[in-house]
Amino acid sequence: MSKAYPWRAIAITGASSGLGRALAEEAAAAGVTLHLSGRDAARLAAAAAACRARGAEVRETVLDVTNAIATAAWIRGAGRLDLVIANAGISGGTGGATEPAGQVQAIFATNVGGVLNTALPAIECMSAQPPGAGGIRGRVAVVASLAAFVAAPGAPAYCASKSAVQRWAEALDATERARGIRLHAVCPGYVRTPMTARNSFPMPFLMDADEAARRTLRGLAAGRLRVAYPLPLYWMARLAGALPPAWRNALFTRLPAKDVTQPGA
Ligand code: NAI
């Protein structure tokens, strides 16, 4: 088992790149089984090899989280899971114009639908697992974003999708913890990954994916319901989110918008 983290069996979606891969590598250790899924077989194999090199047992599955049946089968087939991280996500903005309808649909299907496709069967399976240390049967972490706290006009669907899963996880934890299942909302600021490599605007407090992975897993291990970082950007997001909406829109429309990134979605 990992010296740093208390989990023996962990499932991660979108594990073939960026934050997902960094989370897998950070959690990888002798005695840990990692169930990694992603859409790209070659990139997933590379992530799995890096985790095996750290001593973990790795089972890889090529999977699209918008496929509810395949995602549930993957979770149900994994055996006991101590931690499930619904990380897979896509981003996209308006580019300063109308956000394409296909992009809006794809963002909600992946960032909300894909998270539910992962988390709901995980909760169902965990409810049948015997409790472990501290009476916890399992933990489900959804990767939201600090974007959850700001309805930014440059990325309406992305912000709304992240807000949905952050609020869902936080509210659900209140009832699920009574039966030994914990939910967590992970809310990172800007992380250096293929997703943000496309951004042409300044990204304050941009951090490396391995640092984000460490902060995420430490926060989860500490049992924090909301794992939000970095702190200065979190408070800026909370402040911007608290502005009257018309003021916020007036302020944010002066800032550069996220590009359209799913034009063919
Ligand atoms: P990334 O693009 O490197 O990784 C996203 C992963 O999700 C990729 O492996 C991608 O193939 C996978 N994915 C996308 N759609 C999928 C689908 N339908 N089925 C299965 N896998 C799918 O981006 P990054 O930055 O690592 O993003 C990971 C998560 O972190 C996302 O949910 C993102 O919204 C979130 N996030 C990222 C931030 C950043 O600054 N990079 C900040 C806050 C949150």
Side-chain angles (χ1 to χ4, degrees):
M1 188 175 11
S2 159
K3 280 194 217 95
Y5 305 110
W7 311 295
R8 282 181 176 280
I10 304 172
I12 304 173
T13 63
S16 58
S17 78
L19 182 58
R21 175 169 172 165
L23 287 164
E25 288 193 45
E26 174 65 14
V32 174
T33 301
L34 293 173
H35 300 267
L36 305 183
S37 71
R39 287 175 305 177
D40 184 305
R43 284 192 293 132
L44 190 61
C51 295
R52 285 192 189 102
R54 292 172 177 238
E57 185 183 329
V58 184
R59 298 186 196 152
E60 328 140 45
T61 304
V62 173
L63 182 74
D64 186 322
V65 294
T66 61
N67 182 332
I69 292 169
T71 306
W74 171 64
I75 293 284
R76 291 188 185 123
R80 186 185 171 94
L81 286 170
D82 301 307
L83 172 64
V84 172
I85 306 179
N87 163 77
I90 55 175
S91 79
T94 62
T98 301
E99 186 170 14
Q103 174 175 293
V104 175
Q105 298 281 11
I107 287 177
F108 277 94
T110 308
N111 296 6
V112 180
V115 164
L116 296 180
N117 290 341
T118 308
L120 290 171
I123 292 167
E124 176 201 305
C125 291
M126 284 172 183
S127 69
Q129 293 179 172
I136 306 284
R137 294 177 200 274
R139 295 181 186 273
V140 177
V142 308
V143 177
S145 167
L146 290 188
F149 304 104
V150 192
Y158 185 74
C159 291
S161 71
K162 293 302 183 180
S163 195
V165 294
Q166 172 256 329
R167 282 160 202 234
W168 180 71
E170 290 185 7
L172 195 60
D173 180 70
T175 45
E176 288 305 315
R177 70 161 70 198
R179 54 176 186 158
I181 300 168
R182 291 295 318 276
L183 281 103
H184 305 269
V186 179
C187 303
Y190 293 110
V191 183
R192 197 173 279 110
T193 68
M195 184 181 279
T196 47
R198 293 186 288 253
N199 292 347
S200 49
F201 50 83
M203 292 180 278
F205 307 103
L206 179 66
M207 72 171 63
D208 287 334
D210 53 0
E211 172 65 15
R214 265 193 302 279
R215 290 191 189 213
T216 299
L217 295 184
R218 282 180 192 161
L220 297 179
R224 295 212 315 264
L225 175 55
R226 179 184 295 171
V227 182
Y229 55 82
L231 223 49
L233 202 60
Y234 173 53
W235 285 111
M236 284 163 69
R238 293 288 306 274
L239 200 63
L243 289 173
W247 293 13
R248 190 175 55 237
N249 277 358
L251 178 72
F252 272 71
T253 39
R254 290 161 199 255
L255 304 176
K258 207 187 257 265
D259 284 341
V260 171
T261 50
Q262 311 287 323

PDB file of all heavy atoms in Angstrom, residues 117-132:
ATOM      1  N   ASN A 117     -22.332   9.024 -14.901  1.00  0.00           N
ATOM      2  CA  ASN A 117     -22.162   7.640 -15.364  1.00  0.00           C
ATOM      3  C   ASN A 117     -21.097   6.910 -14.559  1.00  0.00           C
ATOM      4  O   ASN A 117     -21.123   5.691 -14.430  1.00  0.00           O
ATOM      5  CB  ASN A 117     -21.774   7.612 -16.851  1.00  0.00           C
ATOM      6  CG  ASN A 117     -22.905   8.044 -17.750  1.00  0.00           C
ATOM      7  OD1 ASN A 117     -24.065   8.040 -17.334  1.00  0.00           O
ATOM      8  ND2 ASN A 117     -22.590   8.419 -18.984  1.00  0.00           N
ATOM      9  N   THR A 118     -20.146   7.661 -14.029  1.00  0.00           N
ATOM     10  CA  THR A 118     -19.068   7.077 -13.224  1.00  0.00           C
ATOM     11  C   THR A 118     -19.473   6.998 -11.753  1.00  0.00           C
ATOM     12  O   THR A 118     -19.308   5.969 -11.097  1.00  0.00           O
ATOM     13  CB  THR A 118     -17.797   7.972 -13.337  1.00  0.00           C
ATOM     14  OG1 THR A 118     -17.520   8.193 -14.720  1.00  0.00           O
ATOM     15  CG2 THR A 118     -16.597   7.320 -12.665  1.00  0.00           C
ATOM     16  N   ALA A 119     -19.982   8.107 -11.247  1.00  0.00           N
ATOM     17  CA  ALA A 119     -20.213   8.212  -9.796  1.00  0.00           C
ATOM     18  C   ALA A 119     -21.404   7.373  -9.320  1.00  0.00           C
ATOM     19  O   ALA A 119     -21.336   6.773  -8.239  1.00  0.00           O
ATOM     20  CB  ALA A 119     -20.418   9.673  -9.409  1.00  0.00           C
ATOM     21  N   LEU A 120     -22.480   7.327 -10.105  1.00  0.00           N
ATOM     22  CA  LEU A 120     -23.674   6.607  -9.624  1.00  0.00           C
ATOM     23  C   LEU A 120     -23.417   5.107  -9.454  1.00  0.00           C
ATOM     24  O   LEU A 120     -23.729   4.560  -8.381  1.00  0.00           O
ATOM     25  CB  LEU A 120     -24.878   6.887 -10.540  1.00  0.00           C
ATOM     26  CG  LEU A 120     -25.428   8.323 -10.434  1.00  0.00           C
ATOM     27  CD1 LEU A 120     -26.470   8.583 -11.526  1.00  0.00           C
ATOM     28  CD2 LEU A 120     -26.038   8.583  -9.060  1.00  0.00           C
ATOM     29  N   PRO A 121     -22.828   4.411 -10.443  1.00  0.00           N
ATOM     30  CA  PRO A 121     -22.519   2.995 -10.179  1.00  0.00           C
ATOM     31  C   PRO A 121     -21.470   2.822  -9.092  1.00  0.00           C
ATOM     32  O   PRO A 121     -21.508   1.828  -8.347  1.00  0.00           O
ATOM     33  CB  PRO A 121     -22.019   2.456 -11.521  1.00  0.00           C
ATOM     34  CG  PRO A 121     -21.858   3.613 -12.421  1.00  0.00           C
ATOM     35  CD  PRO A 121     -22.595   4.772 -11.843  1.00  0.00           C
ATOM     36  N   ALA A 122     -20.571   3.790  -8.956  1.00  0.00           N
ATOM     37  CA  ALA A 122     -19.558   3.690  -7.889  1.00  0.00           C
ATOM     38  C   ALA A 122     -20.237   3.737  -6.519  1.00  0.00           C
ATOM     39  O   ALA A 122     -19.927   2.934  -5.629  1.00  0.00           O
ATOM     40  CB  ALA A 122     -18.536   4.819  -8.025  1.00  0.00           C
ATOM     41  N   ILE A 123     -21.187   4.636  -6.363  1.00  0.00           N
ATOM     42  CA  ILE A 123     -21.906   4.745  -5.082  1.00  0.00           C
ATOM     43  C   ILE A 123     -22.686   3.458  -4.804  1.00  0.00           C
ATOM     44  O   ILE A 123     -22.674   2.931  -3.691  1.00  0.00           O
ATOM     45  CB  ILE A 123     -22.845   5.977  -5.103  1.00  0.00           C
ATOM     46  CG1 ILE A 123     -22.009   7.267  -5.128  1.00  0.00           C
ATOM     47  CG2 ILE A 123     -23.805   5.964  -3.920  1.00  0.00           C
ATOM     48  CD1 ILE A 123     -22.802   8.516  -5.463  1.00  0.00           C
ATOM     49  N   GLU A 124     -23.324   2.962  -5.851  1.00  0.00           N
ATOM     50  CA  GLU A 124     -24.112   1.715  -5.701  1.00  0.00           C
ATOM     51  C   GLU A 124     -23.196   0.557  -5.271  1.00  0.00           C
ATOM     52  O   GLU A 124     -23.519  -0.187  -4.343  1.00  0.00           O
ATOM     53  CB  GLU A 124     -24.769   1.424  -7.054  1.00  0.00           C
ATOM     54  CG  GLU A 124     -25.545   0.129  -7.134  1.00  0.00           C
ATOM     55  CD  GLU A 124     -25.697  -0.301  -8.605  1.00  0.00           C
ATOM     56  OE1 GLU A 124     -26.206   0.498  -9.412  1.00  0.00           O
ATOM     57  OE2 GLU A 124     -25.272  -1.433  -8.925  1.00  0.00           O
ATOM     58  N   CYS A 125     -22.043   0.420  -5.923  1.00  0.00           N
ATOM     59  CA  CYS A 125     -21.120  -0.675  -5.568  1.00  0.00           C
ATOM     60  C   CYS A 125     -20.547  -0.477  -4.166  1.00  0.00           C
ATOM     61  O   CYS A 125     -20.444  -1.431  -3.385  1.00  0.00           O
ATOM     62  CB  CYS A 125     -19.971  -0.767  -6.570  1.00  0.00           C
ATOM     63  SG  CYS A 125     -20.492  -1.313  -8.187  1.00  0.00           S
ATOM     64  N   MET A 126     -20.193   0.755  -3.843  1.00  0.00           N
ATOM     65  CA  MET A 126     -19.589   1.013  -2.536  1.00  0.00           C
ATOM     66  C   MET A 126     -20.568   0.724  -1.401  1.00  0.00           C
ATOM     67  O   MET A 126     -20.166   0.303  -0.313  1.00  0.00           O
ATOM     68  CB  MET A 126     -19.094   2.463  -2.451  1.00  0.00           C
ATOM     69  CG  MET A 126     -17.803   2.690  -3.218  1.00  0.00           C
ATOM     70  SD  MET A 126     -17.368   4.436  -3.278  1.00  0.00           S
ATOM     71  CE  MET A 126     -15.891   4.371  -4.297  1.00  0.00           C
ATOM     72  N   SER A 127     -21.862   0.940  -1.655  1.00  0.00           N
ATOM     73  CA  SER A 127     -22.842   0.711  -0.583  1.00  0.00           C
ATOM     74  C   SER A 127     -22.873  -0.758  -0.178  1.00  0.00           C
ATOM     75  O   SER A 127     -23.290  -1.083   0.935  1.00  0.00           O
ATOM     76  CB  SER A 127     -24.229   1.198  -1.014  1.00  0.00           C
ATOM     77  OG  SER A 127     -24.726   0.362  -2.038  1.00  0.00           O
ATOM     78  N   ALA A 128     -22.399  -1.644  -1.075  1.00  0.00           N
ATOM     79  CA  ALA A 128     -22.399  -3.081  -0.765  1.00  0.00           C
ATOM     80  C   ALA A 128     -21.036  -3.548  -0.240  1.00  0.00           C
ATOM     81  O   ALA A 128     -20.888  -4.716   0.103  1.00  0.00           O
ATOM     82  CB  ALA A 128     -22.771  -3.864  -2.014  1.00  0.00           C
ATOM     83  N   GLN A 129     -20.073  -2.647  -0.195  1.00  0.00           N
ATOM     84  CA  GLN A 129     -18.744  -3.025   0.298  1.00  0.00           C
ATOM     85  C   GLN A 129     -18.706  -2.945   1.819  1.00  0.00           C
ATOM     86  O   GLN A 129     -19.305  -2.037   2.402  1.00  0.00           O
ATOM     87  CB  GLN A 129     -17.673  -2.041  -0.229  1.00  0.00           C
ATOM     88  CG  GLN A 129     -17.444  -2.088  -1.703  1.00  0.00           C
ATOM     89  CD  GLN A 129     -16.415  -1.098  -2.209  1.00  0.00           C
ATOM     90  OE1 GLN A 129     -16.061  -1.156  -3.368  1.00  0.00           O
ATOM     91  NE2 GLN A 129     -15.922  -0.192  -1.381  1.00  0.00           N
ATOM     92  N   PRO A 130     -17.962  -3.833   2.471  1.00  0.00           N
ATOM     93  CA  PRO A 130     -17.824  -3.662   3.923  1.00  0.00           C
ATOM     94  C   PRO A 130     -17.029  -2.402   4.245  1.00  0.00           C
ATOM     95  O   PRO A 130     -16.151  -2.014   3.462  1.00  0.00           O
ATOM     96  CB  PRO A 130     -17.053  -4.914   4.364  1.00  0.00           C
ATOM     97  CG  PRO A 130     -16.517  -5.545   3.131  1.00  0.00           C
ATOM     98  CD  PRO A 130     -17.270  -5.007   1.951  1.00  0.00           C
ATOM     99  N   PRO A 131     -17.348  -1.725   5.346  1.00  0.00           N
ATOM    100  CA  PRO A 131     -16.609  -0.510   5.685  1.00  0.00           C
ATOM    101  C   PRO A 131     -15.157  -0.808   6.016  1.00  0.00           C
ATOM    102  O   PRO A 131     -14.828  -1.874   6.519  1.00  0.00           O
ATOM    103  CB  PRO A 131     -17.340   0.029   6.916  1.00  0.00           C
ATOM    104  CG  PRO A 131     -18.339  -0.979   7.315  1.00  0.00           C
ATOM    105  CD  PRO A 131     -18.405  -2.054   6.288  1.00  0.00           C
ATOM    106  N   GLY A 132     -14.294   0.141   5.689  1.00  0.00           N
ATOM    107  CA  GLY A 132     -12.879   0.035   6.027  1.00  0.00           C
ATOM    108  C   GLY A 132     -12.575   0.952   7.200  1.00  0.00           C
ATOM    109  O   GLY A 132     -13.449   1.208   8.048  1.00  0.00           O
TER     110      GLY A 132
END
